[in-house]
Amino acid sequence: MQNPQTLTIAVSKGRIYKDSMPLLAAAGIEPLDDPDQSRKLIIPTTREDVRLVIIRATDVPTYVEYGAADLGIAGKDVLMESDADSLYEPLDLNIACCRLMTALPEQASHRQGCLRVATKYAKTARWFYAKKGIKAEIIKLYGSMELAPLVGLADCIVDVVDTGNTLKANGLYADELIAHISSRMIVNQASMKLKYNAIHDLLDKVATACQKPAA
Ligand code: AMP
């Protein structure tokens, strides 16, 4: 049976996993399997009382809100879009940094009427255009947003931008900044009370590691 004091940390594969593991290592937590090599979804670590669950980035807030994971590592873009509203967000890890932006075709034709916006960030886009008083039809997509203006599906897109190379390669340019994005440590509210010492110790060690310049 699982020790009731075991900490479960939810994390997604890819950029966030790669950048967050050196930070968790500062708290003595190193995965014993590589999720890219293994099909296991629960990964034990060098600390017997800590395990990782490997899930989709957009599912991380849900696992943490319901307490299936005590902690999670999620991008601010995912948190803004999530309906999980009872999470603690105590630590900005300053990793996987990028910007959530609107982007337009370089040769945009003059728009009349309702703006059509393609994005996987439907909730955030709706909020952004409403705040600006712009009437927008939000078209929800699950990937390759850059294609939408090129084939007449949308006038513009809302997406995360790092170097801007993907936009450029598709004849688009970044226009308005919606939010600066980085990954955050999130914590389940009940876990924060019930596992207070273990969670605080982990957050302290990770926070110290975040402040150190990369070796
Ligand atoms: P870039 O060409 O460097 O601007 O990267 C743009 C693409 O990389 C976007 O369309 C995203 O899919 C992805 N991307 C860049 N940064 C991040 C990030 N921090 N988190 C998630 N996806 C990202």
Side-chain angles (χ1 to χ4, degrees):
M1 226 185 59
Q2 191 198 305
N3 178 338
Q5 283 304 309
T6 296
L7 289 181
T8 300
I9 306 175
V11 62
S12 54
K13 283 204 268 189
R15 189 182 315 233
I16 291 180
Y17 184 89
K18 196 175 132 282
D19 291 356
S20 63
M21 286 309 119
L23 301 177
L24 292 185
I29 301 163
E30 291 179 57
L32 293 178
D33 275 311
D34 176 354
D36 284 330
Q37 306 297 326
S38 159
R39 285 172 183 268
K40 277 192 203 163
L41 300 174
I42 300 180
I43 307 249
T45 74
T46 42
R47 266 179 56 177
E48 234 174 63
D49 62 332
V50 180
R51 61 183 190 164
L52 305 180
V53 289
I54 308 297
I55 55 179
R56 278 182 73 120
T58 45
D59 289 336
V60 170
T62 309
Y63 272 68
V64 176
E65 181 172 45
Y66 283 88
D70 303 291
L71 300 116
I73 300 171
K76 188 67 185 171
D77 53 333
V78 168
L79 293 171
M80 287 165 70
E81 200 57 26
S82 162
D83 290 325
D85 53 7
S86 61
L87 296 167
Y88 292 129
E89 195 188 304
L91 189 58
D92 184 345
L93 298 174
N94 278 312
I95 57 168
C97 297
C98 58
R99 292 154 294 149
L100 185 65
M101 304 208 56
T102 68
L104 299 167
E106 274 150 16
Q107 266 100 44
S109 52
H110 190 68
R111 176 186 64 86
Q112 284 179 327
C114 187
L115 184 72
R116 283 188 306 164
V117 183
T119 186
K120 68 176 176 191
Y121 299 102
K123 180 176 163 182
T124 308
R126 207 165 281 123
W127 161 81
F128 176 74
Y129 286 105
K131 187 174 64 122
K132 288 172 66 76
I134 293 176
K135 203 160 172 244
E137 179 184 354
I138 308 298
I139 302 169
K140 169 89 182 179
L141 293 179
Y142 294 87
S144 303
M145 265 81 75
E146 300 84 6
L147 180 63
L150 308 183
V151 294
L153 176 62
D155 301 303
C156 65
I157 65 170
V158 165
D159 197 6
V160 289
V161 180
D162 183 8
T163 60
N165 289 341
T166 308
L167 292 179
K168 207 166 164 204
N170 290 291
L172 305 175
Y173 70 94
D175 187 24
E176 289 186 90
L177 175 71
I178 301 177
H180 285 284
I181 304 297
S182 56
S183 296
R184 315 294 165 101
M185 193 72 116
I186 54 173
V187 184
N188 172 267
Q189 288 192 340
S191 301
M192 191 68 123
K193 293 192 186 76
L194 296 170
K195 303 179 182 179
Y196 183 87
N197 288 337
I199 289 178
H200 269 261
D201 180 64
L202 189 154
L203 290 174
D204 277 351
K205 288 180 172 142
V206 172
T208 307
C210 288
Q211 282 145 20
K212 282 195 190 138

